[in-house]
Amino acid sequence: MHEDFLERRLLNSRIRKGRYAVDFGGGYGRLTDILLNNFDHVFLVDYSIRNLLNAKKKLGSDRVTFIASDIRKQIILDNSIDFEICIRVFHHYPSISFINSITRTLVPHGEFIFNFNNVESPLFLLSLIKGIFKKDEKVLNPLKKEIQKIQVESGTRDIYFARLTSIINSIPGYMSIKGIEGYGLFHNSKFENVSTKLNLDKITNLELFLGKIDFLSRLFPDIFVFLEKNQYENITDLKEPTSIIVCSRCQGHLDYNGKNYKCESCGSIFPASDGIIDLR
């Protein structure tokens, strides 16, 4: 699939080696293996237990910690993660103000990559017009303020569109923007079928080139944002990967008793079974 191929190329070109990485909203581990190839340990966070079980089977590595949690809650200690991704996730939320709870877990110069649906892309409007003529009731309307839903593997999810300016305003001041690139020309528009008939590598090279051109990137339906933490703080240095996981309710320290995790601060108990820590 062109979209997967492009995202993998993009991440591989940006990634660097390090100690800890997190795949927020990583589902069944579609892109997690890229992190696993470059970091000592990876945390895969998703709300769905079914997704995590599939990811566990797919990845088959003891260097991955699987966590069931709402990504809007902080579940990892500050200043402990080198690299984070959140791909095809933010468009399921009406606001990304919770980005602070994600990025504060980064070490100084730690990096975060995410993407969102660009409401200002004319390609979404073209798809809408095409859908209206075909009387397609499922076509997405980027200008519609009411909640819209799309079909996903686990059922249906809300879908939202955003403007780049509102996304930028949601980014904490301690994060620097390293790049903004537009993609989605061949998988979110009438060109979708064309990409399957042409050489996949060549079509991806073309899109990667066009997406880096500033005035063009703002017109693409899918925008990637690359951030780096510029705030200096002491790096959290803990030996065991699970020691940087915190209570999703109060960010207190979690103590493992062989069956459950208990928060030393608020007393909340979180089950751990089938290799998954459930912080929901």
Side-chain angles (χ1 to χ4, degrees), residues 6-262:
L6 183 143
E7 289 169 346
R8 297 180 76 84
R9 282 273 303 274
L10 185 148
L11 289 178
N12 277 316
S13 68
R14 291 275 185 168
I15 207 164
R16 56 183 175 80
K17 293 187 179 296
R19 188 180 184 189
Y20 293 144
V22 184
D23 187 352
F24 285 103
Y28 61 89
R30 186 175 60 88
L31 300 172
T32 312
D33 60 301
I34 298 175
L35 301 179
L36 193 56
N37 291 336
N38 291 275
F39 292 88
D40 296 336
H41 197 88
V42 176
F43 300 86
L44 173 53
V45 183
D46 197 88
Y47 194 81
S48 168
I49 293 289
R50 185 173 71 173
N51 279 345
L52 292 170
L53 287 173
N54 288 333
K56 190 170 182 291
K57 185 183 300 183
K58 174 181 182 289
L59 296 170
S61 173
D62 59 1
R63 293 191 295 112
V64 182
T65 296
F66 301 90
I67 306 173
S69 177
D70 185 332
I71 67 166
R72 291 172 293 185
K73 297 179 179 179
Q74 184 174 350
I75 57 168
I76 296 174
L77 281 175
D78 291 357
N79 315 308
S80 57
I81 303 297
D82 300 294
F83 196 86
E84 300 172 337
I85 62 173
C86 193
I87 308 299
R88 299 195 215 174
V89 177
F90 277 1
H91 57 244
H92 292 308
Y93 299 95
S95 166
I96 65 162
S97 57
F98 61 90
I99 192 175
N100 180 66
S101 66
I102 291 178
T103 54
R104 64 186 298 168
T105 65
L106 287 166
V107 300
H109 304 297
E111 298 179 34
F112 178 45
I113 298 176
F114 69 90
N115 65 337
F116 68 94
N117 285 350
N118 177 25
V119 70
E120 297 171 316
S121 172
L123 294 181
F124 276 128
L125 292 177
L126 287 174
S127 295
L128 173 61
I129 294 171
K130 183 180 178 180
I132 291 174
F133 276 109
K134 288 188 173 183
K135 297 181 180 180
D136 182 1
E137 296 180 356
K138 295 182 179 180
V139 66
L140 294 173
N141 182 353
L143 304 178
K144 189 176 181 180
K145 294 183 178 180
E146 292 83 2
I147 295 175
Q148 301 176 79
K149 293 184 178 294
I150 60 170
Q151 189 69 32
V152 296
E153 291 186 359
S154 58
T156 59
R157 285 290 305 269
D158 296 347
I159 190 79
Y160 298 91
F161 298 82
R163 284 182 167 79
L164 180 59
T165 51
S166 65
I167 292 293
I168 291 176
N169 289 337
S170 298
I171 296 173
Y174 56 81
M175 298 297 295
S176 298
I177 299 176
K178 294 185 65 180
I180 296 173
E181 299 177 8
Y183 299 109
L185 180 63
F186 297 110
H187 63 262
N188 284 325
S189 72
K190 64 181 180 179
F191 299 107
E192 185 174 12
N193 293 330
V194 177
S195 68
T196 63
K197 297 176 182 178
L198 300 177
N199 182 284
L200 186 61
D201 194 54
K202 289 182 179 180
I203 224 60
T204 302
N205 287 339
L206 175 61
E207 189 160 3
L208 289 171
F209 171 75
L210 295 175
K212 290 180 174 62
I213 301 175
D214 187 63
F215 74 93
L216 281 181
S217 67
R218 305 304 190 267
L219 303 177
F220 280 47
D222 192 11
I223 291 184
F224 278 76
V225 181
F226 308 90
L227 303 179
E228 180 179 8
K229 191 172 185 180
N230 55 37
Q231 184 178 32
Y232 180 78
E233 294 170 313
N234 292 326
I235 297 175
T236 300
D237 186 19
L238 297 172
K239 294 181 180 180
E240 295 298 325
T242 53
S243 63
I244 69 172
I245 301 173
V246 298
C247 174
S248 59
R249 294 166 187 165
C250 72
Q251 287 72 59
H253 175 72
L254 295 176
D255 182 52
Y256 183 57
N257 62 11
K259 184 178 180 180
N260 300 314
Y261 283 85
K262 182 176 181 180

